[in-house]
Amino acid sequence: MEPYFFLSYARRRGPRVLVKRFYDDLCAELRRLRKGNPMPSDRPFLDVQSIQVGQDWNAALGDALGNCRTMVALYTNDYFRSDFCGREWKAFEDRQRSHREVAGVDAKALIPVLWEPVQSIPPGAAHIQYDNLAFGENYAQSGLRRILAADPGGGEYRRIVNLLARQILVSAEHFRIPAVSGLDLTAPESAGPFPSAADRAEPGSHALLLVAARTSASAHKWPKDPGCHGESPTDWNPYHAESAEPVARRASQLLEERGFTVRTEVVSDVLGATLDEARGQGQVAVLLVEAQAAADEPFGRALRAYDRSNHPGSAAVVPCGQDEAGDGPQSKAYWEAVRGVFPFNWSKGAGDPLPLLQSGIGSDQFDGALHAVVVKVQNHLFSFQETLKLSSLESDQITSTSLPVLSTVAVPPDQTKPAPPTPARPASDPILLEQEQDR
């Protein structure tokens, strides 16, 4: 197998319509440039199309990366947070480096595509030039994904695809980087240059996911229930229109990719004690909260107590579906429910997202929001533990290693139901072709 190019991208959950469309358009443009002649190697590699049901996916990826002529990397924030994308990057970059050492020339066979704007490029990928003035200002500011979504058959998109196909054609036809057999992307030595050490959990790190959500049995009393519940709160899936994966499972997989060992529980009346125990064991804790679940006990009671208390090492994420994030009646009910269960944090933030309370999180924002709060939670937890150690050294009265009881902050009577501020919600992404998440 010798794919003409290998498409490397962050595999988010949900449909990948735009990624597949770009892949098909790039293949078609390469055939056109070759004047209809078949490519002198196997069909370009896209995992969801090239790996067959029942096939060993790790072996298939290893074969494709070890023999492909070029690699096209779709740059996104999630791409540089993905351990597996880092492994794909390293596998191909090692082959390209070997060619440079032997031939004395750079094949430029690793071709970056700015799929979405990125906050920063990790040091391990910074040496690859990805800015391209020929692609235009719109590409540099918004990325190719938005250009494709706004006008799939437009001249700007077609021109960029043509330029990318020409880059692939030159590298694939004029250079043959050394092939590598037996690549195992899961091996420890195959770890790539991203995510960075600062973003990747230390080995042995533990995370606790706590879910507060209704079940299909308890959700029936709400009108127009979207059908995103199951037998257990952990089956809750606010993004069911885009993915069949429960949000707790999605969060668990994202954290495991960063090196965490993850445990999932359901919020109960002993939430405070559970969080204290997790903090004492050095675990980060993330609450996944369905806003409307606050009306059900014991969720409402436990979450309101959490809102009034100081729990270092924990954060709350309140996902929402598309209807809840819009401007209709479901959106109004959603934000009222958020204010009802988190009145203290809401009044502190005046409606703006707080670092440790992220609400209004749609499917396309969830991965990034979870990543951000976990980093914050880790920093808070480490800071708390260091402060505790210093206090223990300075005070002769502390003879035990037990953690202090955290005080509860009372909510002023006139703030229990604050005036509903207009919540700051991210601007909508004008996706015309799909409601999509990549990996």
Side-chain angles (χ1 to χ4, degrees):
M1 187 169 82
E2 189 183 19
Y4 212 63
F5 69 82
F6 180 103
L7 188 61
S8 176
Y9 67 102
R11 297 170 184 82
R12 298 177 189 162
R13 283 76 187 167
R16 302 164 191 151
V17 177
L18 291 184
V19 172
K20 179 62 165 57
R21 173 63 185 267
F22 169 66
Y23 167 84
D24 289 340
D25 290 343
L26 196 54
C27 290
E29 187 63 17
L30 282 166
R31 287 193 297 269
R32 191 188 69 81
L33 291 175
R34 291 186 53 79
K35 303 186 186 306
N37 295 324
M39 296 177 211
S41 55
D42 290 325
R43 180 173 174 80
F45 186 91
L46 176 63
D47 56 353
V48 294
Q49 180 163 302
S50 303
I51 300 178
Q52 304 302 313
V53 175
Q55 188 175 5
D56 184 327
W57 63 269
N58 183 44
L61 284 174
D63 286 344
L65 273 169
N67 293 278
C68 61
R69 293 197 179 188
T70 62
M71 186 176 93
V72 177
L74 300 189
Y75 279 20
T76 64
N77 285 323
D78 287 323
Y79 187 82
F80 295 116
R81 293 174 185 148
S82 169
D83 173 68
F84 214 87
C85 290
R87 291 170 183 268
E88 293 175 353
W89 177 285
K90 180 181 185 300
F92 191 83
E93 178 73 338
D94 286 349
R95 290 181 58 205
Q96 188 167 249
R97 186 180 299 110
S98 297
H99 176 272
R100 188 163 50 243
E101 292 172 354
V102 172
V105 62
D106 188 357
K108 297 183 177 66
L110 200 165
I111 300 169
V113 174
L114 188 63
W115 190 242
E116 295 173 357
V118 293
Q119 296 174 344
S120 62
I121 305 295
H127 63 287
I128 300 291
Q129 175 66 25
Y130 73 94
D131 290 327
N132 195 324
L133 294 178
F135 288 2
E137 188 66 24
N138 195 22
Y139 170 86
Q141 291 184 352
S142 302
L144 186 59
R145 175 179 177 269
R146 181 164 294 196
I147 295 174
L148 167 57
D151 191 2
E156 182 178 20
Y157 170 70
R158 304 304 312 180
R159 181 178 60 82
I160 294 173
V161 170
N162 173 265
L163 292 173
L164 288 171
R166 291 181 182 276
Q167 286 183 256
I168 294 171
L169 196 64
V170 169
S171 295
E173 297 289 350
H174 293 83
F175 304 98
R176 298 295 295 277
I177 62 176
V180 176
S181 61
L183 277 178
D184 180 6
L185 296 182
T186 63
E189 62 272 15
S190 298
F194 46 86
S196 66
D199 288 339
R200 190 184 297 120
E202 293 296 323
S205 293
H206 294 269
L208 174 62
L209 292 176
L210 293 153
V211 183
R214 297 169 292 166
T215 64
S216 53
S218 62
H220 73 278
K221 57 188 177 184
W222 285 75
K224 297 182 180 179
D225 177 64
C228 56
H229 304 91
E231 295 182 0
S232 166
T234 57
D235 295 327
W236 172 50
N237 181 13
Y239 310 134
H240 66 286
E242 302 166 57
S243 171
E245 188 174 47
V247 70
R249 187 183 306 160
R250 173 173 173 177
S252 178
Q253 290 175 342
L254 288 169
L255 292 175
E256 287 171 355
E257 287 175 0
R258 292 186 52 207
F260 283 95
T261 298
V262 183
R263 178 165 55 96
T264 303
E265 295 184 5
V266 176
V267 168
S268 69
D269 266 334
V270 295
L271 174 62
T274 300
L275 291 173
D276 287 345
E277 180 182 359
R279 185 182 69 251
Q281 296 175 356
Q283 299 176 359
V284 300
V286 177
L287 280 68
L288 299 174
V289 180
E290 181 188 17
Q292 289 82 358
D296 294 344
E297 301 299 349
F299 291 148
R301 186 165 56 249
L303 292 172
R304 286 189 292 272
Y306 170 82
D307 181 60
R308 295 191 300 268
S309 303
N310 174 27
H311 284 287
S314 68
V317 178
V318 192
C320 65
Q322 295 171 355
D323 293 337
E324 293 172 317
D327 298 320
Q330 290 192 46
S331 176
K332 181 180 179 181
Y334 169 85
W335 290 106
E336 287 178 350
V338 173
R339 289 196 295 272
V341 73
F342 296 114
F344 184 69
N345 279 283
W346 183 273
S347 62
K348 286 196 300 183
D352 291 326
L354 293 172
L356 301 181
L357 172 59
Q358 292 290 314
S359 52
I361 304 301
S363 181
D364 60 336
Q365 302 161 323
F366 181 81
D367 295 11
L370 182 66
H371 172 84
V373 299
V374 167
V375 171
K376 286 284 187 181
V377 164
Q378 282 183 302
N379 291 337
H380 284 206
L381 182 60
F382 294 156
S383 177
F384 178 82
Q385 290 176 332
E386 288 301 316
T387 301
L388 192 62
K389 289 177 183 178
L390 291 175
S391 299
S392 299
L393 292 174
E394 294 173 358
S395 175
D396 294 333
Q397 298 178 354
I398 299 180
T399 58
S400 164
T401 58
S402 61
L403 293 174
V405 177
L406 299 177
S407 61
T408 297
V409 182
V411 182
D414 59 347
Q415 291 187 17
T416 55
K417 291 186 178 180
T422 302
R425 295 194 296 271
S428 59
D429 192 355
I431 302 302
L432 302 182
L433 198 65
E434 62 165 346
Q435 296 166 347
E436 183 222 9
Q437 304 254 350
D438 310 295
R439 77 183 158 187

